[in-house]
Amino acid sequence: MKRIIILTIALTCGIMAFAQNSKSGLPGLKGMNFGVGIPIECYDIKAAGFNLHIGGDFTYPISDKFAMGFYISGGGGFLGTFKPYNEYDKYSAVIKLSAGLLMEFGDINNKPFILGIGPGTGLGYVDMDLVLPIEFRFGRQFSNNWYIMGELVYGISLAKETRCIEPAIRVGYNFGHKAKKRK
Protein backbone atom coordinates (compact mmCIF):
# COMPACT_ATOMS: atom_id res chain seq x y z
CA MET A 1 0.00 0.00 0.00
CA LYS A 2 2.84 2.40 0.80
CA ARG A 3 4.41 1.81 -2.61
CA ILE A 4 1.13 2.62 -4.36
CA ILE A 5 0.83 5.89 -2.42
CA ILE A 6 4.45 6.86 -3.19
CA LEU A 7 4.06 6.05 -6.89
CA THR A 8 0.78 8.02 -7.03
CA ILE A 9 2.46 11.07 -5.49
CA ALA A 10 5.40 10.77 -7.88
CA LEU A 11 3.10 10.45 -10.89
CA THR A 12 1.00 13.43 -9.78
CA CYS A 13 4.08 15.62 -9.24
CA GLY A 14 5.48 14.54 -12.61
CA ILE A 15 2.24 15.41 -14.43
CA MET A 16 2.07 18.81 -12.72
CA ALA A 17 5.69 19.53 -13.59
CA PHE A 18 5.11 18.43 -17.21
CA ALA A 19 2.12 20.78 -17.48
CA GLN A 20 4.23 23.67 -16.20
CA ASN A 21 7.10 22.75 -18.54
CA SER A 22 5.06 23.53 -21.64
CA LYS A 23 4.91 27.20 -20.60
CA SER A 24 8.39 27.64 -19.13
CA GLY A 25 10.57 26.75 -22.14
CA LEU A 26 13.29 25.47 -19.82
CA PRO A 27 15.18 22.29 -20.69
CA GLY A 28 14.37 19.11 -18.84
CA LEU A 29 16.36 15.94 -18.37
CA LYS A 30 15.28 13.26 -20.83
CA GLY A 31 18.19 10.93 -20.63
CA MET A 32 19.38 7.37 -20.87
CA ASN A 33 22.06 6.03 -18.57
CA PHE A 34 24.34 3.00 -18.40
CA GLY A 35 26.14 1.85 -15.29
CA VAL A 36 28.13 -0.78 -13.48
CA GLY A 37 27.74 -1.89 -9.90
CA ILE A 38 29.31 -4.20 -7.35
CA PRO A 39 26.64 -6.07 -5.36
CA ILE A 40 27.84 -7.34 -1.99
CA GLU A 41 25.85 -9.87 0.04
CA CYS A 42 27.13 -9.77 3.61
CA TYR A 43 24.65 -11.70 5.74
CA ASP A 44 24.01 -15.23 4.55
CA ILE A 45 26.57 -16.30 1.97
CA LYS A 46 29.33 -13.62 1.97
CA ALA A 47 29.56 -12.89 -1.76
CA ALA A 48 30.37 -10.11 -4.21
CA GLY A 49 29.82 -9.73 -7.92
CA PHE A 50 29.25 -7.50 -10.91
CA ASN A 51 26.10 -5.87 -12.34
CA LEU A 52 25.28 -3.94 -15.50
CA HIS A 53 22.48 -1.34 -15.47
CA ILE A 54 20.44 0.59 -18.01
CA GLY A 55 17.85 3.23 -17.21
CA GLY A 56 15.85 6.25 -18.23
CA ASP A 57 15.83 9.60 -16.40
CA PHE A 58 13.12 12.23 -16.87
CA THR A 59 12.70 15.60 -15.13
CA TYR A 60 10.50 18.56 -15.90
CA PRO A 61 11.45 22.09 -14.76
CA ILE A 62 9.26 23.72 -12.18
CA SER A 63 11.43 26.85 -11.91
CA ASP A 64 14.86 28.08 -13.03
CA LYS A 65 16.46 26.31 -10.04
CA PHE A 66 14.44 23.10 -9.60
CA ALA A 67 13.18 20.25 -11.78
CA MET A 68 11.33 17.12 -10.68
CA GLY A 69 10.56 13.81 -12.35
CA PHE A 70 11.28 10.11 -12.14
CA TYR A 71 13.69 7.38 -13.20
CA ILE A 72 13.23 3.78 -14.30
CA SER A 73 16.08 1.32 -14.13
CA GLY A 74 16.86 -2.33 -14.73
CA GLY A 75 19.91 -4.51 -14.58
CA GLY A 76 21.43 -7.80 -13.77
CA GLY A 77 24.60 -9.69 -13.07
CA PHE A 78 26.04 -12.32 -10.80
CA LEU A 79 27.38 -12.93 -7.29
CA GLY A 80 30.36 -15.14 -6.60
CA THR A 81 30.53 -16.78 -3.18
CA PHE A 82 33.77 -16.48 -1.20
CA LYS A 83 33.25 -19.82 0.60
CA PRO A 84 30.66 -21.93 -1.30
CA TYR A 85 28.75 -24.69 0.46
CA ASN A 86 29.31 -27.00 -2.52
CA GLU A 87 30.47 -26.79 -6.13
CA TYR A 88 26.96 -25.91 -7.40
CA ASP A 89 26.59 -22.94 -5.06
CA LYS A 90 29.52 -20.84 -6.35
CA TYR A 91 27.54 -18.31 -8.39
CA SER A 92 24.07 -16.86 -8.17
CA ALA A 93 22.04 -14.38 -10.23
CA VAL A 94 21.25 -10.78 -9.36
CA ILE A 95 18.36 -9.01 -11.13
CA LYS A 96 16.87 -5.62 -10.27
CA LEU A 97 14.04 -3.43 -11.61
CA SER A 98 13.35 -0.14 -9.86
CA ALA A 99 11.78 3.30 -10.13
CA GLY A 100 12.02 6.45 -8.06
CA LEU A 101 11.86 10.22 -7.81
CA LEU A 102 14.53 12.29 -9.58
CA MET A 103 15.27 15.96 -8.94
CA GLU A 104 17.62 18.57 -10.38
CA PHE A 105 18.90 21.45 -8.21
CA GLY A 106 20.82 24.57 -9.13
CA ASP A 107 20.82 26.44 -12.42
CA ILE A 108 18.87 24.12 -14.74
CA ASN A 109 20.57 25.66 -17.79
CA ASN A 110 24.11 25.28 -16.42
CA LYS A 111 25.22 21.90 -15.03
CA PRO A 112 22.63 21.19 -12.32
CA PHE A 113 23.04 18.72 -9.46
CA ILE A 114 20.97 15.51 -9.66
CA LEU A 115 19.38 13.70 -6.72
CA GLY A 116 17.30 10.51 -6.89
CA ILE A 117 15.46 8.52 -4.24
CA GLY A 118 13.86 5.10 -4.70
CA PRO A 119 12.07 4.07 -1.47
CA GLY A 120 11.56 0.37 -2.13
CA THR A 121 9.66 0.92 -5.40
CA GLY A 122 11.01 -2.00 -7.35
CA LEU A 123 11.92 -5.66 -7.18
CA GLY A 124 15.24 -7.41 -6.89
CA TYR A 125 16.35 -11.00 -6.97
CA VAL A 126 19.54 -11.82 -5.04
CA ASP A 127 20.69 -15.37 -4.30
CA MET A 128 17.20 -16.83 -4.89
CA ASP A 129 15.67 -14.27 -2.50
CA LEU A 130 13.24 -11.47 -3.33
CA VAL A 131 14.45 -8.04 -2.14
CA LEU A 132 13.06 -4.50 -2.22
CA PRO A 133 15.75 -2.02 -3.31
CA ILE A 134 16.11 1.27 -1.43
CA GLU A 135 18.14 3.56 -3.69
CA PHE A 136 19.90 6.87 -3.32
CA ARG A 137 21.42 8.61 -6.36
CA PHE A 138 23.54 11.72 -6.50
CA GLY A 139 25.32 13.33 -9.42
CA ARG A 140 25.83 16.27 -11.69
CA GLN A 141 25.57 17.20 -15.32
CA PHE A 142 29.16 17.85 -16.46
CA SER A 143 28.53 19.08 -20.02
CA ASN A 144 25.57 20.19 -22.12
CA ASN A 145 24.44 16.62 -22.63
CA TRP A 146 26.45 14.25 -20.40
CA TYR A 147 25.85 13.56 -16.72
CA ILE A 148 27.27 11.19 -14.11
CA MET A 149 25.62 9.71 -11.02
CA GLY A 150 26.77 7.65 -8.09
CA GLU A 151 24.27 5.22 -6.63
CA LEU A 152 23.95 3.30 -3.38
CA VAL A 153 21.37 0.52 -3.10
CA TYR A 154 20.37 -1.43 0.01
CA GLY A 155 18.27 -4.52 -0.61
CA ILE A 156 15.70 -5.40 2.05
CA SER A 157 14.99 -9.12 2.00
CA LEU A 158 11.38 -10.18 2.31
CA ALA A 159 12.46 -13.54 3.84
CA LYS A 160 15.01 -11.84 6.14
CA GLU A 161 17.78 -14.09 4.77
CA THR A 162 19.70 -11.66 2.58
CA ARG A 163 21.22 -8.25 3.21
CA CYS A 164 22.93 -6.73 0.23
CA ILE A 165 24.40 -3.38 -0.68
CA GLU A 166 25.44 -2.22 -4.10
CA PRO A 167 27.51 0.84 -4.91
CA ALA A 168 27.27 1.77 -8.58
CA ILE A 169 28.29 4.48 -11.00
CA ARG A 170 26.17 5.60 -13.96
CA VAL A 171 26.93 7.75 -16.97
CA GLY A 172 24.05 9.21 -18.94
CA TYR A 173 23.27 11.22 -22.03
CA ASN A 174 20.57 13.92 -21.98
CA PHE A 175 18.57 13.95 -25.22
CA GLY A 176 16.32 16.79 -24.04
CA HIS A 177 18.88 19.60 -23.67
CA LYS A 178 18.07 22.78 -25.53
CA ALA A 179 20.96 25.07 -26.36
CA LYS A 180 20.68 28.62 -25.02
CA LYS A 181 19.65 31.15 -27.61
CA ARG A 182 22.17 33.93 -28.16
CA LYS A 183 20.88 37.50 -28.31
Side-chain angles (χ1 to χ4, degrees), residues 150-164:
E151 178 181 57
L152 186 60
V153 179
Y154 177 72
I156 297 175
S157 171
L158 296 177
K160 297 183 174 73
E161 292 178 0
T162 303
R163 291 185 189 145
C164 63

Side-chain angles (χ1 to χ4, degrees), residues 19-183:
Q20 290 181 359
N21 187 30
S22 62
K23 298 176 185 175
S24 69
L26 294 170
L29 177 63
K30 293 167 186 68
M32 183 174 201
N33 66 62
F34 298 95
V36 295
I38 301 172
I40 302 166
E41 207 283 311
C42 53
Y43 183 68
D44 183 30
I45 60 170
K46 311 284 192 286
F50 183 75
N51 274 357
L52 293 175
H53 302 280
I54 186 169
D57 303 315
F58 308 95
T59 63
Y60 304 101
I62 295 174
S63 70
D64 293 348
K65 304 284 183 195
F66 183 72
M68 186 171 181
F70 63 95
Y71 67 86
I72 299 171
S73 178
F78 70 93
L79 279 175
T81 307
F82 297 130
K83 295 180 183 178
Y85 299 125
N86 57 40
E87 65 182 88
Y88 304 108
D89 200 23
K90 290 182 184 179
Y91 299 103
S92 59
V94 176
I95 299 170
K96 183 181 75 161
L97 298 170
S98 63
L101 296 173
L102 193 67
M103 296 165 274
E104 287 184 291
F105 297 97
D107 186 4
I108 301 298
N109 290 311
N110 188 19
K111 301 177 186 172
F113 292 97
I114 301 169
L115 178 67
I117 300 168
T121 51
L123 293 173
Y125 179 74
V126 178
D127 185 37
M128 298 188 309
D129 194 10
L130 189 63
V131 296
L132 298 178
I134 296 177
E135 299 179 338
F136 179 70
R137 294 183 180 190
F138 49 92
R140 186 161 192 190
Q141 196 166 348
F142 61 87
S143 75
N144 285 339
N145 294 90
W146 291 96
Y147 58 96
I148 190 166
M149 291 186 290
E151 178 181 57
L152 186 60
V153 179
Y154 177 72
I156 297 175
S157 171
L158 296 177
K160 297 183 174 73
E161 292 178 0
T162 303
R163 291 185 189 145
C164 63
I165 60 170
E166 180 183 353
I169 188 162
R170 294 174 177 263
V171 175
Y173 186 81
N174 184 5
F175 295 101
H177 179 74
K178 296 178 189 174
K180 291 182 184 178
K181 294 181 182 178
R182 303 272 180 188
K183 291 184 181 182

